[in-house]
Amino acid sequence: AFGTGQHETTLMCLELMEEMDLLDKRVLDVGCGTGILGITADKLGAREVLCVDMDPVAVSAARHNAALNGCKEEFLCVEGNLADRAKGGYDVIFANIVAHVILALLPQAAPLLAGGGQMVVSGIIRDREQEVLAAAKDAGFMARGRKGMGEWVALLLERA
């Protein structure tokens, strides 16, 4: 189920996150849903987390879950889209959404990352993986990691 951490796309993000150093990093979670990725980043030592979602119910759930998990004051959940809410200089961006949204997001996300910043994208059906990889390359990313589970793929990208 989405939002519980049990869906393949979320599990792969969490697995990739475990391999990353998030200590003292600025993290952006785009399409945050219930906030599970942002909350995990907070618990793994992120200095600042911004969760953004266009759905007010998702934002409310993410705020509630962050409070239940004792997230630090620098954990913010806001309603809106990426262009409205994120100001840049992020070390890591998470986007566990769907391929067509990721394709549109990649060119917007690249300038929001600090040099050497990383982006985890998930929610990609295997048949669209090459399309996402090509768009990532066009947006200035290099593929640094990959997870596959069931029909889904998650990619770890790094800003070139």
Side-chain angles (χ1 to χ4, degrees), residues 34-58:
T34 61
I36 189 167
L37 298 178
I39 292 166
T40 303
D42 180 85
K43 295 303 170 191
L44 290 174
R47 174 178 81 241
E48 175 186 326
V49 177
L50 174 61
C51 295
V52 179
D53 204 299
M54 296 191 71
D55 182 351
V57 175

Side-chain angles (χ1 to χ4, degrees), residues 20-27 41-49 72 74 89-92 114:
M20 301 170 80
D21 174 16
L22 295 179
L23 189 61
D24 215 24
K25 303 287 197 264
R26 290 186 73 224
V27 175
D42 180 85
K43 295 303 170 191
L44 290 174
R47 174 178 81 241
E48 175 186 326
V49 177
K72 60 182 75 74
E74 294 78 16
Y90 291 95
D91 300 296
V92 181

Side-chain angles (χ1 to χ4, degrees), residues 3-156:
T4 63
Q6 297 174 340
H7 192 271
E8 290 99 333
T9 61
T10 309
L11 282 172
M12 290 184 295
C13 285
L14 293 169
E15 288 175 0
L16 287 166
M17 194 182 299
E18 285 181 329
E19 298 169 10
M20 301 170 80
D21 174 16
L22 295 179
L23 189 61
D24 215 24
K25 303 287 197 264
R26 290 186 73 224
V27 175
L28 173 62
D29 182 6
V30 180
C32 67
T34 61
I36 189 167
L37 298 178
I39 292 166
T40 303
D42 180 85
K43 295 303 170 191
L44 290 174
R47 174 178 81 241
E48 175 186 326
V49 177
L50 174 61
C51 295
V52 179
D53 204 299
M54 296 191 71
D55 182 351
V57 175
V59 172
S60 177
R63 285 179 181 150
H64 176 74
N65 290 333
L68 286 175
N69 283 280
C71 290
K72 60 182 75 74
E73 193 174 304
E74 294 78 16
F75 187 101
L76 297 174
C77 300
V78 296
E79 183 181 345
N81 67 42
L82 179 66
D84 291 341
R85 307 306 268 178
K87 298 302 178 217
Y90 291 95
D91 300 296
V92 181
I93 297 175
F94 292 98
N96 181 19
I97 37 184
V98 292
H100 76 275
V101 176
I102 291 168
L103 291 169
L105 176 65
L106 286 167
Q108 292 179 311
L112 294 175
L113 281 168
Q118 297 179 310
M119 184 169 183
V120 174
V121 293
S122 190
I124 305 162
I125 294 185
R126 285 185 192 273
D127 292 347
R128 301 204 64 190
E129 179 180 2
Q130 293 307 313
E131 182 182 1
V132 172
L133 284 168
K137 183 177 179 184
D138 289 346
F141 289 99
M142 297 175 288
R144 293 290 189 216
R146 178 194 185 277
K147 297 272 182 187
M149 193 178 288
E151 64 181 321
W152 302 100
V153 172
L155 301 169
L156 173 61

